[in-house]
Amino acid sequence: MTEILKGKPVIDKLNVRLKCECEELKKSGLYPTIAIVRVGENADDITYERSAEKCCCEAGVRVRKFTFGESISQDEFLSCIQRINNDKDIHGALILRPLPQHIDDRTVCRTLSPDKDIDGITEYSMAGVYSDKPVGFAPCTAEACIDMLEHYGIEIAGKRAVVVGRSFVVGKPAAMMLLKRNATVTICHTKTKNLAQICRSADILVVAIGHAKMITSEYLSEGQTIIDIGINVDENGKICGDVDSKSAEGLAHAITPVPGGIGRITTAVLAKHAVEACRRLSCK
Ligand code: NDP
């Protein structure tokens, strides 16, 4: 039988730890706090903001919101990021992206203080992911994959991992994090030949492509652990992953559900990073 790797038990366990850590920090007068920065009224951004707020609240992390209209200039936006950098009571920032076109994403990422980059968007955090330096924070979704595998006791070392998708937000950091844990990793993308065959060879198959139910039985083989990162809307208007979960049933060893899998853990990882950022800043 295929095990369903639900996100909730992972979060529940993490939250117990985070609540204790928050209580400890509060005894020293520190209250882990994040800034959520949003421009405009994009529905996906608002959903993610709500989910992040809920998760932080459950973990004991305080949230301060900075919301702007689409007409905000780049200079005004950068001053907001500078204010967050200089505010000792804010320990981390989540900047909802993509930003409007007139605000240069790279300039924003370079302006954010690396100490407060709990979402893994600065070059400093990337250096941490792509090197052995223990600096910065990994992108939350990539770390959620690792947390999921570790929570359910799925061995990574020595396994063959195939990651489909190579974005800087998900695919590449997930691949690097699996590699650091001694998996043998293959990264696939739109130019990959024989994608189905490569996917079938995986012990751990991580899919982050953004195509509803594209990964069907021809891409799967018996006994795999499947991490489905995709969040899509199917033909019936329902949320679904990149993997056709029906094809995996009975064949895979385990699979993450969508919704209720990696997406749920992603915001909990943000809260985890906020607590860690608070601790690191307090030691400076
Ligand atoms: P991007 O569009 O940035 O990247 C998609 C990647 O998938 C690209 O590398 C692309 O290859 C590859 N790809 C697309 N189509 C195919 C195909 N047919 N065959 C092989 N490779 C393909 O998306 P993201 O990485 O940002 O997101 C991926 C998915 O994950 C989306 O569904 C998104 O909603 C979801 N997501 C979920 C999160 C969560 O918290 N659960 C957080 C972030 C994203 P190429 O580079 O060649 O173009």
Side-chain angles (χ1 to χ4, degrees):
M1 216 174 87
T2 302
E3 186 183 4
I4 306 297
L5 307 178
K6 291 189 179 160
K8 189 169 182 306
V10 186
I11 301 172
D12 289 347
K13 189 170 170 199
L14 179 61
N15 277 345
V16 170
R17 195 188 95 198
L18 292 182
K19 274 185 194 147
C20 288
E21 291 182 9
C22 284
E23 287 308 316
E24 280 304 311
L25 287 164
K26 278 176 212 163
K27 283 181 196 158
S28 326
L30 293 160
Y31 204 129
T33 301
I34 67 161
I36 301 184
V37 186
R38 169 165 57 85
V39 179
E41 299 297 320
N42 177 289
D44 288 346
D45 285 351
I46 293 170
T47 305
Y48 190 57
E49 179 180 301
R50 283 198 191 122
S51 160
E53 220 179 334
K54 184 169 173 280
C55 235
C56 284
C57 175
E58 281 167 7
V61 172
R62 207 156 45 183
V63 173
R64 278 172 57 187
K65 292 202 261 185
F66 297 76
T67 309
F68 302 100
E70 296 261 357
S71 60
I72 187 171
S73 70
Q74 172 159 311
D75 284 350
E76 284 172 298
F77 190 75
L78 294 178
S79 335
C80 164
I81 303 300
Q82 288 290 9
R83 277 204 310 279
I84 290 169
N85 287 345
N86 296 331
D87 190 329
K88 288 194 170 57
D89 295 328
I90 296 177
H91 308 104
L94 168 66
I95 302 169
L96 296 169
R97 296 148 75 223
L99 292 160
Q101 275 188 351
H102 66 278
I103 301 178
D104 182 53
D105 191 66
R106 285 189 73 182
T107 307
V108 171
C109 294
R110 285 188 179 147
T111 302
L112 179 66
S113 163
D115 292 336
K116 301 197 177 183
D117 176 25
I118 55 171
D119 199 24
I121 65 170
T122 61
E123 286 169 4
Y124 183 79
S125 284
M126 281 187 203
V129 173
Y130 293 91
S131 73
D132 285 332
K133 291 184 196 142
V135 296
F137 292 96
C140 296
T141 306
E143 189 166 319
C145 298
I146 302 296
D147 285 1
M148 178 71 97
L149 291 166
E150 287 179 347
H151 175 90
Y152 285 99
I154 290 159
E155 213 179 318
I156 300 175
K159 299 292 173 189
R160 174 155 188 160
V162 172
V163 180
V164 192
R166 58 175 166 179
S167 73
F168 270 109
V169 185
V170 191
K172 276 188 189 140
M176 288 303 127
M177 293 174 88
L178 288 162
L179 184 62
K180 268 189 196 174
R181 285 158 184 80
N182 295 317
T184 302
V185 183
T186 303
I187 306 176
C188 303
H189 45 78
T190 51
K191 306 291 182 289
T192 298
K193 294 202 169 92
N194 305 323
L195 179 64
Q197 188 190 341
I198 296 170
C199 288
R200 282 198 302 272
S201 73
D203 299 311
I204 299 171
L205 179 62
V206 178
V207 189
I209 51 179
H211 289 305
K213 302 180 192 173
M214 190 191 107
I215 303 300
T216 50
S217 50
E218 82 173 286
Y219 295 80
L220 305 176
S221 63
E222 207 176 335
Q224 293 179 313
T225 296
I226 304 169
I227 304 288
D228 189 356
I229 298 177
I231 302 176
N232 313 288
V233 178
D234 72 8
E235 62 283 3
N236 303 313
K238 287 196 169 155
I239 301 285
C240 71
D242 290 337
V243 179
D244 177 40
S245 53
K246 284 209 167 70
S247 299
E249 263 170 37
L251 183 68
H253 161 69
I255 184 169
T256 59
V258 180
I262 293 296
R264 281 199 81 163
I265 307 180
T266 295
T267 43
V269 170
L270 189 77
K272 177 172 73 164
H273 287 176
V275 175
E276 177 59 23
C278 179
R279 188 199 311 285
R280 285 184 197 172
L281 284 165
S282 72
C283 296
K284 283 206 161 179

